[in-house]
C-alpha cells in the first residue's frame, strides 16, 4: 500500500486560536451555521456554548442526566438538539441559552441525533426506535423498530430520505410520507457507523468485524474492504465524493472510489502515517468544500493532512498532551477546526 508521511520540519498549518475546558471528556462538537458559536458536549452531561472568537463560555446548559451522547446544531438557525442517557431529546435555544423542548426518545437511553440540511426536521435514535421531529419539537413519525440497536442514522443527501444502520441492514425511509422502507440493504454483520457520499450515490459503513462495506445505492450493489487493525467507526468523505477516509487503526486509509469500474475494491488505499503505531484513530473530518482532512487519535494528536498533495500530505500537528483527542468538527466556512480531548480540553484552530 502507498504510504505518505512528512519528513523534516515544515510550517505547521494547524494554528491554535484559543483553548478552553469543558466539564470532562468531550464527546461531541457542533458549530453554529454562522461560525459565531461552538457547542461542546461533555460525556457526564453538561453542554457548554463557547464564543468562537474569544473562547469564552457564552452559556452553560445542563445537558442530560447520566450523560450526553450526541448533539447537533440546526443547519439554518439557533436550535441545538441533544440526546442522552436519560432517554430524553432536548432542544435548546443556543443564542439565549435556554431549553425549548424536552421530548421522549422512546427508550431508556438515546444516542444519535441528526438534522436534515433544511433545518426543518431532525431525527433521533434510542435503542431500536427512531423518531422524526419538526424543528418545533412536534413528532412527524416513529419508524418501525429495527432488528437491533440503531447504531447510526443519516439523511441521504439531496433527499428527505433517512437511512438507519442496525444489525443486518441499512434501511432507508421517507419519513415525511410513510413508515414503509424505501430500500433495505441487507448484510450479515454488526455495523457501527456510516457516511453517505455527498452526491448521495454511495453509502459506506464501518463494522465490528474490522471491515468497511460500500453500497452503490441505486443499483444495490455492494463491495467490501478488509484488513483493518480494529473495528471501524471513523469515516469521512471529501466533498467531491471521490475519496473516502477510514480509520480502524493508527493509519488513515484513503480510498479512491473512482479508481475503476469496480470502484475501490481490490485497489490499494493511500495510507497516511503520522499517529503513533500503538495508537488508534478516534475521529476523521474532511472540510465541507475543501481538500484538507483532520484526524484525531488516542495518542493525543490532532493531525492536518492534504492527501491530494503527494509531496507533503501532513501539514499540521497539535498535541493535547495527557488525553486522547476525542472529537473533531469543521466550521461551515471551513476556516476553523475544533477539537476535543478526553481531559475536557477544547481547542479551536485556523487551518490552511
Amino acid at each position: 500500500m502507498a504510504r505518505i508521511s512528512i519528513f523534516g520540519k515544515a510550517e505547521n498549518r494547524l494554528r491554535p486560536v484559543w483553548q478552553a475546558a469543558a466539564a470532562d471528556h468531550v464527546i461531541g462538537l457542533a458549530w453554529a451555521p454562522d461560525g459565531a458559536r461552538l457547542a461542546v458536549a461533555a460525556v457526564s452531561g453538561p453542554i457548554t456554548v463557547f464564543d468562537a472568537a474569544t473562547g469564552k463560555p457564552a452559556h452553560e446548559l445542563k445537558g442530560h442526566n447520566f450523560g450526553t451522547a450526541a448533539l447537533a446544531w440546526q443547519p439554518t438557525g439557533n436550535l441545538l438538539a441533544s440526546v442522552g442517557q436519560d432517554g430524553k431529546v432536548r432542544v435548546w435555544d443556543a443564542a439565549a441559552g435556554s431549553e425549548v423542548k424536552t421530548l421522549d426518545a422512546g427508550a431508556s437511553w438515546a444516542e444519535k441525533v441528526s438534522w436534515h440540511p433544511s433545518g426543518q426536521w431532525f431525527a433521533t435514535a434510542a435503542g431500536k426506535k427512531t423518531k422524526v421531529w419538526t424543528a418545533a419539537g412536534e413528532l412527524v413519525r416513529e419508524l418501525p423498530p429495527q432488528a437491533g440497536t440503531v447504531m447510526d442514522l443519516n439523511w441521504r443527501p439531496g433527499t428527505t430520505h433517512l437511512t438507519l444502520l442496525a444489525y443486518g441492514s441499512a434501511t432507508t425511509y421517507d419519513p415525511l410520507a410513510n413508515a414503509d422502507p424505501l430500500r433495505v440493504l441487507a448484510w450479515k454483520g454488526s455495523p457501527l457507523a456510516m457516511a453517505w457520499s455527498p452526491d448521495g450515490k454511495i453509502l459506506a459503513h464501518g463494522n465490528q468485524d474490522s471491515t468497511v462495506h460500500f453500497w452503490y445505492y441505486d443499483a444495490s450493489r455492494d463491495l467490501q474492504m478488509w484488513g483493518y487493525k480494529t473495528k471501524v467507526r471513523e469515516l469521512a468523505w471529501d466533498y467531491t465524493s471521490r475519496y473516502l477516509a477510514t480509520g480502524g487503526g493508527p493509519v488513515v486509509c484513503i480510498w479512491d472510489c473512482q479508481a475503476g469500474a469496480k470502484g475501490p475494491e481490490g485497489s490499494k488505499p493511500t495510507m497516511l502515517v503520522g499517529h503513533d503505531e500503538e495508537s488508534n484513530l478516534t475521529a476523521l473530518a474532511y472540510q465541507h468544500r475543501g481538500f484538507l482532512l483532520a484526524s484525531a487519535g488516542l495518542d493525543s494528536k490532532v493531525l492536518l493532512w492534504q492527501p491530494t498533495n503527494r509531496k507533503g500530505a501532513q501539514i499540521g500537528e497539535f498535541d493535547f498532551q495527557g488525553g486522547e483527542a476525542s472529537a473533531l468538527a469543521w466550521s461551515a466556512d471551513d476556516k476553523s477546526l475544533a477539537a476535543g480531548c478526553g481531559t475536557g480540553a477544547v481547542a479551536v484552530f485556523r487551518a490552511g
Side-chain angles (χ1 to χ4, degrees):
M1 294 183 179
R3 293 195 171 203
I4 294 177
S5 61
I6 191 166
F7 299 93
K9 293 184 178 180
E11 179 188 3
N12 190 346
R13 293 172 62 185
L14 198 59
R15 301 182 292 274
V17 177
W18 54 262
Q19 296 181 53
D24 51 53
H25 182 109
V26 176
I27 196 168
L29 301 165
W31 285 92
D34 62 2
R37 284 153 292 160
L38 174 71
V40 180
V43 73
S44 62
I47 298 170
T48 305
V49 179
F50 290 96
D51 182 301
T54 65
K56 294 181 179 180
H59 301 292
E60 297 281 355
L61 310 177
K62 67 178 182 180
H64 296 261
N65 296 331
F66 313 118
T68 295
L71 79 169
W73 203 300
Q74 184 185 27
T76 56
N78 286 315
L79 297 180
L80 187 69
S82 64
V83 294
Q85 302 304 313
D86 55 3
K88 301 299 182 184
V89 181
R90 301 188 188 277
V91 182
W92 315 85
D93 183 330
S98 59
E99 186 173 354
V100 178
K101 287 277 187 178
T102 300
L103 309 168
D104 183 3
S108 58
W109 75 96
E111 293 191 329
K112 298 295 178 181
V113 57
S114 177
W115 281 95
H116 186 268
S118 69
Q120 296 183 67
W121 312 280
F122 65 95
T124 58
K128 298 179 181 181
K129 296 183 178 181
T130 302
K131 295 183 178 182
V132 177
W133 316 83
T134 67
E138 298 172 349
L139 183 64
V140 175
R141 196 171 310 280
E142 180 173 344
L143 296 175
Q146 301 301 292
T149 297
V150 178
M151 301 302 295
D152 207 353
L153 75 173
N154 252 307
W155 299 87
R156 187 186 181 194
T159 74
T160 56
H161 302 165
L162 181 69
T163 302
L164 310 184
L165 192 68
Y167 181 82
S169 70
T171 306
T172 301
Y173 299 86
D174 183 354
L176 304 187
N178 54 56
D180 299 327
L182 290 175
R183 181 160 299 177
V184 179
L185 302 176
W187 174 78
K188 293 182 179 180
S190 299
L192 299 173
M194 70 173 166
W196 272 106
S197 61
D199 62 10
K201 293 181 179 180
I202 303 175
L203 177 68
H205 56 80
N207 307 305
Q208 184 76 31
D209 63 357
S210 304
T211 64
V212 173
H213 217 76
F214 288 76
W215 291 94
Y216 289 84
Y217 184 80
D218 288 338
S220 295
R221 179 170 68 88
D222 65 319
L223 53 91
Q224 187 164 284
M225 326 305 269
W226 56 88
Y228 291 93
K229 178 182 176 182
T230 67
K231 56 190 175 184
V232 184
R233 294 180 182 275
E234 308 81 28
L235 304 164
W237 285 95
D238 86 311
Y239 80 96
T240 69
S241 297
R242 177 170 182 173
Y243 297 106
L244 176 70
T246 60
V251 177
V252 182
C253 294
I254 308 288
W255 298 96
D256 186 345
C257 296
Q258 296 177 15
K262 294 184 179 180
E265 188 173 43
S267 67
K268 293 183 178 180
T270 296
M271 299 176 69
L272 307 182
V273 180
H275 289 277
D276 295 351
E277 289 186 8
E278 64 275 12
S279 175
N280 289 317
L281 298 177
T282 57
L284 291 168
Y286 262 112
Q287 287 179 306
H288 304 288
R289 299 294 298 176
F291 292 101
L292 298 183
L293 171 70
S295 62
L298 294 174
D299 57 2
S300 304
K301 293 179 183 178
V302 177
L303 301 182
L304 187 66
W305 308 89
Q306 193 170 6
T308 54
N309 183 350
R310 295 295 179 115
K311 294 182 179 180
Q314 186 184 320
I315 60 174
E317 179 174 342
F318 177 82
D319 195 330
F320 274 112
Q321 299 183 349
E324 67 178 85
S326 58
L328 297 168
W330 288 96
S331 60
D333 63 4
D334 286 333
K335 294 180 180 179
S336 297
L337 174 70
C341 180
T343 63
V346 181
V348 168
F349 311 90
R350 298 297 272 185

